[in-house]
């Protein structure tokens, strides 16, 4: 894995590289986001998997939509 990706994942709260899925979608609330329209959620594709992080209230609302998305 590219060291930059590894460092990015290690910075995410409560997400270890061992927990990251080989494929599929992982959704996590994050305290790193702010309540501004362009900073509430981030979706990043890494290989055959996707990591979605966002404000806890936003993650709760969009979780069903993200779960139904394809990678």
């Amino acid at each position: 894995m590219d060291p930059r990706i590894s460092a990015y994942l290690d910075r995410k709260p409560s997400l270890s590289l061992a927990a990251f899925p080989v494929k599929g979608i992982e959704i996590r609330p994050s305290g790193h986001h702010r309540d501004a329209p362009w900073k509430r959620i981030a979706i990043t594709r890494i290989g055959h998997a996707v990591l979605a992080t966002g404000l806890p209230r936003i993650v709760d609302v969009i979780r069903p939509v993200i779960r139904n998305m394809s990678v």
Side-chain angles (χ1 to χ4, degrees):
M1 180 180 288
D2 185 307
R4 293 171 295 179
I5 294 171
S6 193
Y8 173 78
L9 290 175
D10 286 338
R11 283 194 311 266
K12 294 296 175 190
S14 70
L15 181 64
S16 69
L17 289 176
F20 194 73
V22 175
K23 60 182 179 178
I25 301 171
E26 182 69 27
I27 305 168
R28 298 285 175 132
S30 171
H32 293 238
H33 295 280
R34 301 289 177 251
D35 199 6
W38 61 91
K39 294 184 179 181
R40 292 179 183 153
I41 190 164
I43 300 175
T44 307
R45 183 178 181 143
I46 302 172
H48 296 291
V50 171
L51 173 63
T53 60
L55 293 172
R57 65 184 174 80
I58 301 295
V59 168
D60 291 342
V61 171
I62 66 165
R63 186 179 303 273
V65 174
I66 291 177
R67 284 281 179 220
N68 288 320
M69 294 175 72
S70 60
V71 179

